Amino acid sequence: MYAALAPFVVLLTVGLLLLLYEVFSEEPEREWATRLAAVSLTVAGALVAWDLGTPPADLLGGGGTAGAPIRLDDFGRATTLIVLTGGLVSILISPRYARASGHAHGEYYALILFACAGMMVMVFAADLMTFFLGLETMSVGVYCLTALRLDDRRSSEAALKYLLMGAFATGFLLFGIAFVYGATGSVGYDALARALSGDGAKELYSLLPVGVTLLLIGFAFKVAAVPFHMWAPDVYEGAPTPVTAFMAVAVKAAAFGALLRFVRVGLQVLPDPDAMVWVPFLAWSSVLTLLIGNALALVQPTIKRMLAYSSVSHGGFILMGVVAAAKGEPTGSTSVLYYLASYTVMTLTAFAVLSLLESKGTGPEAERYGAFAGVGYRHPAYGIAITLAMAALGGLPPTAGFFGKMFLFTAAIEADEAWLAGVGITATVVSLVYYLRTVAAFYMREVPDPGPTVEAQGHPVAHLGLGLAVFGILLLGLAPGLWLAVTEMASQSLG
């Protein structure tokens, strides 16, 4: 059973080796660090994939009524594969960008590995305290990654905002955990479900809704759901582009995976539907996130900031699936896992192209729409990649984004939340405006506003990362049944 911890051991061991070797290495390029980190994530992913289909098992159980803190099941494995894919591609697109930005150090890759290990703990956690430990492990690594460009004021400002807002969200989570413990006498998801299904369940209604609401507010901060999204655009814009890609996909996947487990395992057995205050909370959060995220993305002056608000709006789509799961609809968690994988490869493709084109430009001037004029003609491969990414993010068929949105809308309708699906369809149509604007920018022949234009700084490893992301879009779009089978198996493992 403890062999299942091998992926954790691989990531932590390689991360520590990178930190140690950094002290003694005199190689200026740090190419070895990129390769070693990428190999470790690949090996960890292969070990996780190898275990797919094995029966769920509890790990590190302490006996008694406390329960095991780690639940090894296919849901956690599927979410982990998404997280590790985000980490792998982010590492592959980093070398040239990191060297140009002055943070090509071994600890950069070590921090990504430690953050991924924390995310794995989050998605496999079977109680709130274990989830919290994984969350803080992830958060510390991402805070440091955001601040790596020491000579860039935007990076320092972004890291400070992220740290302060993260601490604020942590307070909500801890108070929520305290209220849940006070109501049920346990922080375990299974114990919470047993308490809610027992004879004295109604006695919990005074404390439990307060605790769950506080927990959901903390989760909303982590997934950048409106109205708790304020930190995301500034942090995404100020962080190094590969780090932004990592935060936008891996952090969001881990947080949604943990939220989905909490909702499906701990909260779905409540006998009185009127006490399920979290369902309308999640539903209205989904609507506000879709509407405000889309509206603000429309007016952004730079592509990177537009993608930040785009990431916010996609959180609204994913929350639709969480709402369906909270109401007991089996396709809710399946649709969430499918969309997380689709969103991951779509967003990674977009940020990979930006990182390959930002090497000569610094600051927001090099991120304007006009700065990318003509790139589609000068570098056709990048133009095709960004067009595919924007089409997928906009939900155009037959891309991964189309099937992801279709599954989410179907889950919402089957959960008697057709109005949510209607809002999602409207938001999808609106989003096409700013996604097609990006494609138009790449194929403009003249720059409509003064300022620098970008030039490609290709790198074989970065091209590999871009190729993997593009392949993911095509695979999920042209053969959706492959990953859908994994998501269905993962959903069943939650019970």
Side-chain angles (χ1 to χ4, degrees):
M1 183 183 297
Y2 287 96
L5 291 175
F8 296 90
V9 174
V10 169
L11 295 183
L12 295 176
T13 302
V14 173
L16 291 172
L17 288 175
L18 287 172
L19 289 178
L20 291 173
Y21 194 56
E22 176 70 14
V23 177
F24 305 102
S25 173
E26 298 181 358
E27 181 188 351
E29 300 298 332
R30 299 298 187 269
E31 292 286 348
W32 56 268
T34 305
R35 298 189 186 98
L36 186 57
V39 168
S40 68
L41 284 169
T42 304
V43 171
L47 291 171
V48 171
W50 181 264
D51 285 336
L52 281 172
T54 58
D58 293 330
L59 194 64
L60 306 177
T65 60
I70 297 292
R71 177 74 168 174
L72 298 173
D73 56 18
D74 284 339
F75 175 80
R77 296 181 188 109
T79 310
T80 296
L81 288 176
I82 298 172
V83 167
L84 296 181
T85 299
L88 175 62
V89 176
S90 299
I91 283 175
L92 292 177
I93 65 177
S94 292
R96 180 62 63 89
Y97 186 96
R99 185 160 59 250
S101 301
H103 61 270
H105 308 298
E107 60 265 26
Y108 170 76
Y109 301 101
L111 288 170
I112 292 179
L113 297 184
F114 292 146
C116 285
M119 294 176 198
M120 291 176 65
V121 173
M122 289 171 60
V123 300
F124 283 114
D127 63 49
L128 290 169
M129 289 309 300
T130 306
F131 156 74
F132 182 76
L133 291 175
L135 174 68
E136 290 306 296
T137 302
M138 174 201 75
S139 297
V140 171
V142 178
Y143 296 154
C144 297
L145 288 168
T146 305
L148 278 178
R149 293 190 298 187
L150 300 178
D151 57 345
D152 188 333
R153 184 180 63 84
R154 291 193 306 161
S155 183
S156 301
E157 180 182 343
L160 181 59
K161 287 181 179 179
Y162 197 14
L163 175 62
L164 292 176
M165 296 304 292
F168 193 59
T170 296
F172 280 101
L173 286 169
L174 286 176
F175 272 108
I177 293 172
F179 273 98
V180 170
Y181 182 79
T184 66
S186 175
V187 293
Y189 301 158
D190 288 337
L192 174 59
R194 287 194 298 271
L196 290 175
S197 60
D199 295 335
K202 290 188 177 181
E203 299 176 1
L204 307 178
Y205 292 174
S206 59
L207 287 179
L208 187 64
V210 177
V212 173
T213 301
L214 290 172
L215 282 169
L216 292 180
I217 290 174
F219 275 112
F221 270 106
K222 295 303 178 182
V223 301
V226 174
F228 310 105
H229 69 292
M230 299 79 68
W231 60 272
D234 292 337
V235 173
Y236 284 17
E237 183 183 34
T241 299
V243 175
T244 303
F246 181 64
M247 287 192 294
V249 298
V251 173
K252 192 177 291 288
F256 270 116
L259 172 61
L260 196 57
R261 185 185 290 276
F262 174 61
V263 169
R264 278 287 306 271
V265 177
L267 300 180
Q268 211 177 87
V269 295
L270 198 61
D272 185 1
D274 293 334
M276 296 177 67
V277 296
W278 41 88
V279 173
F281 178 95
L282 291 169
W284 282 106
S285 181
S286 172
V287 171
L288 291 174
T289 302
L290 285 169
L291 296 180
I292 294 177
N294 270 291
L296 294 176
L298 284 170
V299 297
Q300 297 309 308
T302 68
I303 292 181
K304 191 174 181 181
R305 196 167 179 86
M306 178 277 290
L307 287 173
Y309 279 105
S310 165
S311 176
V312 171
S313 70
H314 282 280
F317 287 112
I318 301 170
L319 281 171
M320 293 169 52
V322 177
V323 170
K327 296 187 70 174
E329 175 55 46
T331 58
S333 53
T334 301
S335 63
V336 168
L337 282 176
Y338 193 94
Y339 197 80
L340 282 174
S342 302
Y343 166 77
T344 294
V345 292
M346 297 184 296
T347 304
L348 287 173
T349 299
F351 280 112
V353 173
L354 291 188
S355 69
L356 284 164
L357 294 171
E358 282 184 1
S359 298
K360 283 191 175 181
T362 57
E365 280 297 303
E367 298 166 1
R368 302 161 12 260
Y369 283 91
F372 296 88
V375 169
Y377 297 107
R378 297 195 303 273
H379 306 286
Y382 296 164
I384 293 172
I386 201 69
T387 301
L388 181 61
M390 294 300 113
L393 286 167
L396 295 178
T399 62
F402 170 77
F403 289 104
K405 287 183 171 65
M406 182 183 70
F407 294 144
L408 285 173
F409 297 157
T410 301
I413 293 171
E414 292 179 349
D416 296 326
E417 300 287 348
W419 68 283
L420 266 183
V423 174
I425 292 171
T426 303
T428 298
V429 174
V430 172
S431 70
L432 290 174
V433 176
Y434 53 83
Y435 289 134
L436 294 179
R437 179 188 178 191
T438 302
V439 176
F442 270 68
Y443 288 95
M444 289 187 299
R445 293 189 180 275
E446 296 182 358
V447 180
D449 52 342
T453 57
V454 297
E455 287 296 335
Q457 294 288 310
H459 190 279
V461 175
H463 288 158
L464 174 61
L466 176 60
L468 288 175
V470 169
F471 175 75
I473 295 178
L474 296 175
L475 181 64
L476 291 175
L478 299 178
L482 296 176
W483 180 248
L484 187 61
V486 175
T487 63
E488 290 174 347
M489 183 170 57
S491 179
Q492 292 172 3
S493 71
L494 282 178

